[in-house]
Amino acid sequence: MPEVRTPILELQGITKSFGGVEALRGVDFALFPGEIHGLVGENGAGKSTLMKIIAGVHTEFSGRFLIDGTEAHFRSARDAHTAGIAMVHQELSVAPDLTVAENVFLGNQPTNALGLVQWRRMAREAGEQLSRFGIDVDPMSRLGDLPIGLQQLIEIARVLFSGARIVILDEPTSALSPPEVERLFGTLRRLREEGTAIVFISHFIEDILRVSDTVTVFRNGRKVAETASAATSKGALIEAMIGRGGEALEHSYSDDLMLPQPADGSVVLKVDQLSLARSLKDVSFEARAGEVLGIYGFMGCGQQELSRILFGKLKPDSGTLAVEGKPKTFASTAAARRAGVALVPESRRAMLFHQEPVYKNISISILDRISSLLLKPAQERDIAKRQVEQLQIRPPVVGLDLGMLSGGNQQKVALAKWLTYPPKLLVLCEPTRGMDVGAKNDVINIIRDLRAKGLAIIVLSTEPETVLSLADRILVLKRGAVVREFKNEPVSKDRLLEAA
Amino acid sequence: MASSETASAAGSRARGLAPFLRSQMRNIAPFLTLIFLSGFFALASPSFATLDNLGNILTQVSVTGVIAVGLTFVILCAEIDLSIASIANVTGIAVAYFTLQESYVNIPNIPLPGAAAILLAILLCAALGLVNALGLTLIGIPSFIMTLAMMQIAAGISAMLVRGQIAYKVPELITTLGSGSIGGIPWIVIVAAIMLLSGHLVLTYTRFGRYVYMVGGNREAAEYAGLNVKLILGAVMVISAVCSGIGGMLGVAHFGSAQQNEFDTYLLDSIAAVVVGGTSLFGGRGGIGNTIVGLFVLGVLNNGLDHVNIDSFLKILIRGLILLAALVINVYAQRLREKAAE
Ligand SMILES: Nc1ncnc2c1ncn2[C@@H]1O[C@H](COP(=O)(O)OP(=O)(O)OP(=O)(O)O)[C@@H](O)[C@H]1O
Ligand SMILES: [Mg+2]
C-alpha cells in the first residue's frame, strides 16, 4: 500500500512558532496521489497552521518540505499555486465586490490576444463549472450579495476545478447543509479517482470517517495518530484528539430524541407575518423566556435574513415584531440592542475586529454599561479575562490580536461578547461552527445555563446536530416559510431532514 | 504616539522584534522620514536648524494642524472630507462678515458684537458639517462625493458673502489667537497644540474614541456589535467641519484678511499631514500622534525647501514625490500588518 507509492508531498519534522508560542512541533506528514486525507484535532491544535505552510502562506518554519521527492521552498502562496497546490481557507477568502464569475477565475481570467478579459466566455465557463457542482447562480451577480454558504460553495468550486494536484479544504462544510455536503463529497471522490491528493479538515468526525482514506489526529501542535479510516472509530479519534475518553461528548442524534413540554415562560419575542422579498413568507412564531427555540433549514431557506431582521440589520417588507409585548420597528442594530436583543451572526469576519485585541472584541458591545465617557481598560480586561476563562479561549491572553487565534477560538470570542450582560433575547446563528467536540459541549452547557437564567434563545442552523443538541422546540424553515413545528414529540436527524 | 496601538504592541512584543517592527511600520516610517528630512536640511542650510526657525515651522503648520485634527477622525473611520478647506474659508469669511469693517471695505455686511460673530461662524460650519453627515448617513451618498459637493457649496457661500472683495477685521479674540503671542509663543501654536491634545485624549481615552477606531476597523462588525454606526459617522463629519471652521477663523486672523480661495492649499496639506503621518486610509489605524508627525514632516519639508537653493518650480514636484512615497508606505504598511497577523 502507501509504502510502495511515492508521496506527492512529504513534510518532515516541521516546527513552526509564532514568537514564543509553538504551533507545530516536529510534525511529519505525507500525502499520496489519489488519497483523501482527513485531519482532526481540537481548536488551536495546529491544523490550519500546517496547511498554511503547505499552501505557501507561512514561509518561515523549520523542517524538510518535499514535493515529488525533491526539496522545495515556497516564498509565497503564488509559488505553491504554481506547484499545483490550492487551498480553501477556513476564513472565507472571496472577493465580495467582484462578480461570481470573476471569483471563479480569480487570478486567471480568460483573456483575448489584446489581454482584455473575455467577459462573455468567463461568465459562460463559470456558469458551466458551477452548475456541474450543482450551483445555480447568475455568474454576473455580485458575490457579496449571496448567502454565505453559497459564497463558500463558490470558493470551494474555484479551488476544486483549478486543476490543482493537491487540494486542501480547511473546514469546507461548516457553512453547508447536508445536500451540498453530499455533492461536495461526490466531487471529492471523483477528483480522487483522477489522482488528486486531497486534505480535508473538519470537526465533523462522521464526515471525516465517511469520506477520507486516512485520518491524522493533531493535539497541541503534534501529530498523535495516523490510521486508515476503515480501521478506526469515532470514539477512538475523539479520544486521540482530547487525550481521554470522549464517548460522552458526541451524540449522533440518529435516534429519536424527545422534545420537552413547551415552556410556559413569558413571551419575549413575538413575530407576526414577517415577509421579505423572496426570502421570507409570512413567518410567525414566539420565543419564550427560559426556552431555546431551534430554527432549522437548508442553506438559503431564509434563516440569515430572519436573524438580520430580528437584530434590526434588515427591514422586513411587511409583518411585525414585538419584544415583551411592545411592538418594535428597529431602525438600527443599536435600537435592537437597546431593546435587549443580541445576535451572533454566522460569519466571523463580519462580526469580529481582527486587528484589535481580544479584550476589545469582547467589550465592544457592553462599553456603554461600564463607562459613560472615559474608557476603563482595566475593567474591560477583567471582564474579558472572566469570559476567556469561562469559554476556555486559547491562548488565554486578552491582549493578543484576535487574528492570531485559531478559527474555533475566534468563534468563542464572538459568543463571549454577549455573555457578560446577557440580553433578553439571544439570537445565535451557527453558534458552534468550527468548534471542536469539547468546545461544542462547553457552548451547549453555557447556552443551557443562559436558558436557566430565563433568557429567550433562538438557535438558527443548517446542521441538524446543532439544533438537536440545543433546542426545546424546533421550527423548520423551507424556502422562507415555516413548514413544520416540532414540540413535545420525538425528533431525529432524519425527521428534520425529511421536513426540510 | 499612537497609543491606540500600545495594547496590541504589548501583545506582539512578546513574539519577537521582527514581527513587532513590521506591525509598527506605520508608526516608524513617518518618524524616520522626519528625522531624515530634518537631518538633510540641517546639513544643507545653516539657517534651518535654529530655534527661530523651529518657531517658524510651528507657526506655519498651526492652521493645518487644527484642520487635521477633525480630518484624522474622519480618515480613522475610513471616510474622507474634501470640504475642509472650503469650510475653513467660509467660516473665516463669515466671522469677518459679522464684524464691523473699515469704511473702505465695500461689503454689505452685518456687524455684530464679537462673541455673536464667533458663535454664528461656528454654527455655520457645524451646520455645513451636519449637512455632510446627513448626506453620508441618511441618504447614503459616499463621503467622497458628498463632501465634493459641499466643497462647492461652501465656496459658493463664501463668494456670496464677500462678492470678490476682501475683508480685514475679525473679532478681537480671534485677532489675538490668530496673530498675537504670549511670552514669545504665538497663540496660534498654543491653540493648535490644545486642539491636537484634545483630539488625542478623545480618541484614546473616551468611549467615543474607541467607537471611531472600531467603526473604522470593521464597519460591519461594529454594526453587529449594536453600535450606532451612523451616529458615529455623522459625529465625525461634524467634528471635522467644526475643526476646519476654527482653523479658518484663526487663519483669517493670521493672514490679516478674509477673501475667496484663501485656503485652497489647505485641503491637500491637511490630507497629506494625516496620511503621511501613517493613519490608515482604510480606517481603524493611526491617530493624532501620527498626524503630529505628519504635520512636522510637511512643515519641515515646506520650510526646509525655502532654506536651500532649489528652483521653486522643482519644489512643487519634490513635494509631490514625497507625498507619493508616503502613500506607498501607507498602503504597504497595511499589507505588512496583515501579513504579521497571518
Ligand atoms: N498568526 C498567528 N500569530 C500567532 N499565533 C498564531 C497565529 N496563527 C495561529 N496561531 C496560534 O497557533 C496555534 C494553532 O492554530 P491553528 O489555527 O493552526 O489551529 P487549528 O488546529 O486550525 O484550530 P481550529 O480548529 O480552531 O481552526 C493556536 O494556538 C493559535 O493561537
Ligand atoms: Mg483552523
Side-chain angles (χ1 to χ4, degrees), chain A residues 356 359-360 363-364 367 375 377 380, chain B residues 202-204 206-215:
Chain A
E356 299 287 351
Y359 81 89
K360 288 190 188 173
S363 67
I364 180 67
L367 274 183
L375 292 169
E380 281 179 55
Chain B
V202 168
L203 279 176
T204 315
T206 69
R207 187 152 62 87
F208 174 71
R210 170 74 62 79
Y211 288 164
V212 167
Y213 278 102
M214 297 310 238
V215 166

Side-chain angles (χ1 to χ4, degrees), chain A residues 326-406:
Chain A
K326 291 188 215 70
K328 299 273 179 192
T329 45
F330 296 135
S332 66
T333 57
R337 181 168 67 97
R338 251 178 280 124
V341 182
L343 168 71
V344 178
E346 64 292 317
S347 158
R348 274 194 290 275
R349 178 175 294 245
M351 75 162 315
L352 292 170
F353 303 90
H354 283 249
Q355 297 194 347
E356 299 287 351
V358 169
Y359 81 89
K360 288 190 188 173
N361 273 283
I362 292 182
S363 67
I364 180 67
S365 44
I366 53 165
L367 274 183
D368 50 354
R369 302 265 199 141
I370 56 181
S371 74
S372 53
L373 176 68
L374 294 183
L375 292 169
K376 301 198 179 98
Q379 202 179 337
E380 281 179 55
R381 282 168 177 271
D382 282 347
I383 286 176
K385 272 194 197 118
R386 245 175 287 140
Q387 295 302 337
V388 162
E389 237 161 69
Q390 189 190 353
L391 289 169
Q392 302 198 15
I393 292 168
R394 292 285 168 272
V397 186
V398 295
L400 212 60
D401 279 1
L402 184 96
M404 295 174 183
L405 265 52
S406 78

Side-chain angles (χ1 to χ4, degrees), chain B residues 106-120:
Chain B
N106 193 13
I107 300 174
N109 68 333
I110 308 169
L112 293 172
I118 297 173
L119 189 68
L120 281 177

Side-chain angles (χ1 to χ4, degrees), chain A residues 267-274 280-288 291-296 302-303 305-307 309-310 320-323 425-427 456-460 473-477 480-485:
Chain A
V267 175
V268 174
L269 173 78
K270 186 163 167 49
V271 170
D272 205 26
Q273 302 281 315
L274 223 49
L280 293 173
K281 284 192 286 286
D282 297 332
V283 172
S284 306
F285 62 88
E286 289 174 352
R288 288 174 180 273
E291 178 193 59
V292 179
L293 173 65
I295 299 186
Y296 172 77
Q303 282 179 342
E305 291 80 3
L306 179 60
S307 67
I309 290 173
L310 297 182
T320 57
L321 284 182
V323 176
L425 171 69
L426 181 58
V427 182
I457 299 168
I458 300 180
V459 173
L460 301 104
R473 188 157 63 86
I474 299 174
L475 299 179
V476 177
L477 212 55
V482 177
V483 292
R484 174 90 159 82
E485 176 174 3

